[in-house]
Amino acid sequence: MTNFTKRQNGPSRRSFLAGSAAAVGAGLILPQGARAQAQPKKGGTLRVGFTQGSTSDSLDPATFNNDFMFASGYAVFNTLTEIAPDGTAQPDLAESFEASSDAATWTFRLRDNAQFSDGKTATANDVIASIRHHMGPESKSGIKPLLEQITDIRADGDKVVVFELAAGNADFPFIFNDYHLGIRQDTGDGTIDPNSRIGTGGYVIDVFEPGVRVELTRRDDYWKEGRAHFDKVVILKVGDPAARMNALMTGEVDLIDRPDLKTINLLGRAPNVKIHTQDGTLHYIMPMQTNTAPFDDVNVRMALKYGINREDMIEKVLRGYGTVGNDQPISRSMPYYNDDLEQITYDPERAKYHLKQAGLESLDVTLSTSDAAFNGAVDASVLFAENARPAGLNIEVKREPDDGYWSNVWLQKPFCCSYWGGRPTPDLMFSTGYAADAEWNETKWDNERFNELLLQARPELDQTRRAEMYGEMQKIVKEQGGALIPAFGQYVSAMSESVQMPEEVSEMWDLDSQRFIERWWMS
């Protein structure tokens, strides 16, 4: 079995806040000992109020693009690997995985006891059909660019899958943690039924109303020991933050994501409610499409980057739950973070300089926004417009409908708000969101040197050389790219005192990397 580790130079992984306004300003307070020592037990119903979810959602894993579906998918469909709290790729549906000496051939062995909810044993053909679902020429799956390195997939018996890659990739097992890649059954012709509800995960679907409600029941015959503790789980889309917080305080739900940071002190005063914060790879972004005027001029992009007051956003919008971003997506907690890059700071005069270099005295642009993009996106956009005005940057803030934002605005409008939960390695982050051919290349970024380095770094086994290449890529994105990343945020959620979790949780995405349904329990 091959494991990969990441450098642990980031801030603390998790902590609980006492909940007072003073605590918010002061930072983090370590969890109470009793919480950390709680042991998992079976039982109870977990009711979740989620920010995201869309009526256009479907069970087709190629369409997954929000937390409502990520969490539901992980509960019902296992992936070959999962990211552990220490950042390593660990076997999930796979029992083990190993690479050839050049990391160009990877062999995954499946667990013998893993069964679908209809009793069928998971086989290599199921895995191959599930992976190929995202690789076809008609596929619009967000994971498709990462799978294009695969030149061949073959079964070696019922339990072994062998992947041949076009070139070595030391990070290859990390890909299979992705929420798109939950394993479905082979229908017999090498394809899957994308709308199937039958998975190998710990839960089965009782009710699925897209963007409204999901109800899950635990499988009594789940093959994985020590997981899937809740008897039932109900996920509700509660898009309005005030309604979501009220639902928690009145006991209508047990867990909410993304409480309104402006009024989070109300939760702190509520009995039997605790607030959880989690550092990680979450970052907020205002992508500028670099193939569309005026954002096709690097000086326009730099003017806007110098026109935003990042510290102001941390204080007034994130209420201290974050750190300033530097217009590149690799966080301090990730391997190969470039600590030598000069921090971009608010500088209206420098913004004016770049405008002048672009041949402009002022600039009028429209920023499409919605709190569906991230909690506080509308306030952040308005604040940005105020910050930018002294530099001659006139930003019209256009509030878009929450429902359908990720279908109708993101990737469609040339300047909007977005967020990324991040990826476990620089290769996955850059390949998913910055490679020229990436489906989710939200800045329409196409830089020859960057693309060249991306391919060169992927198979590089010399860690010093690999760090140099990823460091240069971060510099290119910061100084030339269309990603305006003003802040890295903390994941913030709130829950009843009865909701329990392990002492260490994954910090890659919100709510234990959206695997909380399988990993958490009720006291």
Side-chain angles (χ1 to χ4, degrees):
M1 183 178 73
T2 302
N3 292 329
F4 299 90
T5 59
K6 66 178 183 178
R7 187 177 61 181
Q8 300 298 321
N9 59 351
S12 61
R13 292 182 177 280
R14 65 182 285 261
S15 60
F16 284 94
L17 294 178
S20 69
V24 171
L28 305 178
I29 297 174
L30 292 175
Q32 297 175 10
R35 289 173 177 144
Q37 295 167 5
Q39 295 299 310
K41 70 175 188 179
K42 301 291 185 186
T45 297
L46 178 70
R47 300 159 300 168
V48 185
F50 250 149
T51 302
Q52 297 184 342
S54 172
T55 52
S56 61
D57 288 341
S58 82
L59 290 172
D60 182 348
T63 68
F64 285 10
N65 65 4
N66 63 65
D67 291 345
F68 189 91
M69 295 309 304
F70 302 162
S72 302
Y74 278 137
V76 179
F77 304 97
N78 290 100
T79 48
L80 285 180
T81 63
E82 63 177 331
I83 305 301
D86 65 358
T88 58
Q90 294 292 327
D92 186 13
L93 188 60
E95 179 180 73
S96 63
F97 48 84
E98 60 183 354
S100 59
S101 58
D102 62 356
T105 300
W106 283 86
T107 301
F108 288 73
R109 177 173 177 76
L110 306 183
R111 297 182 189 274
D112 290 329
N113 61 341
Q115 292 185 328
F116 289 95
S117 57
D118 65 352
K120 177 186 177 298
T121 299
T123 69
N125 286 337
D126 297 319
V127 173
I128 293 171
S130 298
I131 303 302
R132 289 198 183 282
H133 177 67
H134 303 272
M135 299 177 65
E138 303 302 321
S139 172
K140 299 295 184 183
S141 174
I143 196 68
K144 180 179 177 180
L146 295 180
L147 302 179
E148 289 177 347
Q149 62 190 296
I150 300 172
T151 57
D152 183 50
I153 315 174
R154 63 179 183 274
D156 184 3
D158 284 344
K159 289 295 181 182
V160 175
V161 184
V162 180
F163 295 86
E164 300 287 351
L165 309 183
N169 184 349
D171 295 340
F172 188 63
F174 285 91
I175 294 173
F176 293 108
N177 170 73
D178 191 278
Y179 41 77
H180 294 97
L181 299 180
I183 303 304
R184 274 71 172 170
Q185 288 184 356
D186 174 20
T187 57
D189 62 357
T191 66
I192 63 168
D193 173 4
N195 294 309
S196 173
R197 299 184 176 193
I198 300 173
T200 58
Y203 291 83
V204 295
I205 299 174
D206 297 324
V207 176
F208 177 66
E209 299 178 34
V212 178
R213 181 186 193 92
V214 171
E215 295 185 14
L216 308 170
T217 296
R218 188 183 67 222
R219 289 174 56 186
D220 292 333
D221 62 343
Y222 188 38
W223 51 273
K224 192 189 293 187
E225 295 182 2
R227 297 287 183 91
H229 305 293
F230 304 113
D231 288 340
K232 291 183 177 293
V233 176
V234 179
I235 301 176
L236 303 169
K237 160 74 180 294
V238 187
D240 180 71
R244 202 162 55 249
M245 291 169 63
N246 186 60
L248 177 62
M249 289 189 289
T250 58
E252 295 177 67
V253 300
D254 308 294
L255 168 66
I256 64 171
D257 67 345
R258 308 179 192 188
D260 188 348
L261 299 181
K262 290 183 293 188
T263 56
I264 197 169
N265 58 314
L266 297 176
L267 286 179
R269 292 198 291 266
N272 302 317
V273 171
K274 57 189 178 186
I275 299 168
H276 179 237
T277 64
Q278 178 184 330
D279 297 310
T281 55
L282 168 68
H283 55 278
Y284 306 114
I285 177 170
M286 296 168 177
M288 299 173 276
Q289 294 188 353
T290 58
N291 64 348
T292 303
F295 309 110
D296 55 349
D297 188 320
V298 66
N299 278 295
V300 168
R301 302 196 292 269
M302 293 306 295
L304 287 162
K305 290 180 179 182
Y306 280 106
I308 190 167
N309 189 328
R310 299 157 201 261
E311 287 81 4
D312 217 20
M313 178 175 170
I314 298 295
E315 178 186 351
K316 296 177 179 176
V317 178
L318 300 185
R319 309 283 166 163
Y321 289 95
T323 56
V324 294
N326 203 22
D327 301 332
Q328 62 84 18
I330 307 304
S331 75
R332 290 181 176 275
S333 62
M334 291 174 66
Y336 311 114
Y337 172 74
N338 186 347
D339 202 24
D340 295 329
L341 293 180
E342 181 183 354
Q343 175 65 50
I344 292 183
T345 58
Y346 179 53
D347 190 339
E349 292 304 315
R350 199 159 178 180
K352 289 179 181 177
Y353 166 80
H354 283 287
L355 272 187
K356 189 174 182 179
Q357 294 301 305
L360 300 170
E361 293 297 325
S362 64
L363 176 71
D364 297 332
V365 294
T366 299
L367 174 61
S368 296
T369 188
S370 164
D371 281 343
F374 58 85
N375 191 354
V378 173
D379 289 342
S381 301
V382 172
L383 187 62
F384 182 17
E386 293 174 357
N387 294 157
R389 197 169 297 122
L393 300 166
N394 303 312
I395 299 174
E396 178 190 358
V397 176
K398 182 179 181 182
R399 185 163 187 169
E400 305 279 1
D402 290 352
D403 191 44
Y405 182 84
W406 295 102
S407 301
N408 303 324
V409 178
W410 185 60
L411 297 178
Q412 308 300 321
K413 301 296 179 69
F415 191 26
C416 69
C417 289
S418 172
Y419 86 99
W420 283 81
R423 293 296 185 274
T425 68
D427 179 66
L428 290 178
M429 185 67 246
F430 287 141
S431 298
T432 306
Y434 293 80
D437 58 351
E439 192 72 28
W440 289 356
N441 177 8
E442 57 190 343
T443 62
K444 311 301 181 185
W445 171 243
D446 187 0
N447 180 282
E448 182 178 355
R449 176 60 177 165
F450 176 90
N451 294 331
E452 179 181 87
L453 287 168
L454 182 62
L455 296 178
Q456 290 177 358
R458 186 172 295 151
E460 179 61 59
L461 299 179
D462 183 323
Q463 296 303 304
T464 300
R465 176 63 185 138
R466 206 174 190 209
E468 290 174 354
M469 288 190 281
Y470 285 131
E472 182 180 349
M473 293 168 74
Q474 291 168 60
K475 187 173 188 292
I476 293 172
V477 171
K478 175 204 164 193
E479 296 180 352
Q480 301 180 43
L484 198 170
I485 303 175
F488 277 77
Q490 288 185 311
Y491 295 111
V492 183
S493 58
M495 62 202 76
S496 89
E497 289 283 1
S498 61
V499 177
Q500 304 293 318
M501 68 184 72
E503 185 174 1
E504 294 283 336
V505 299
S506 176
E507 63 182 21
M508 190 173 63
W509 294 323
D510 206 356
L511 297 174
D512 210 353
S513 292
Q514 295 298 340
R515 291 184 182 268
F516 66 99
I517 294 176
E518 182 177 274
R519 294 173 175 174
W520 295 9
W521 65 94
M522 304 289 276
S523 61

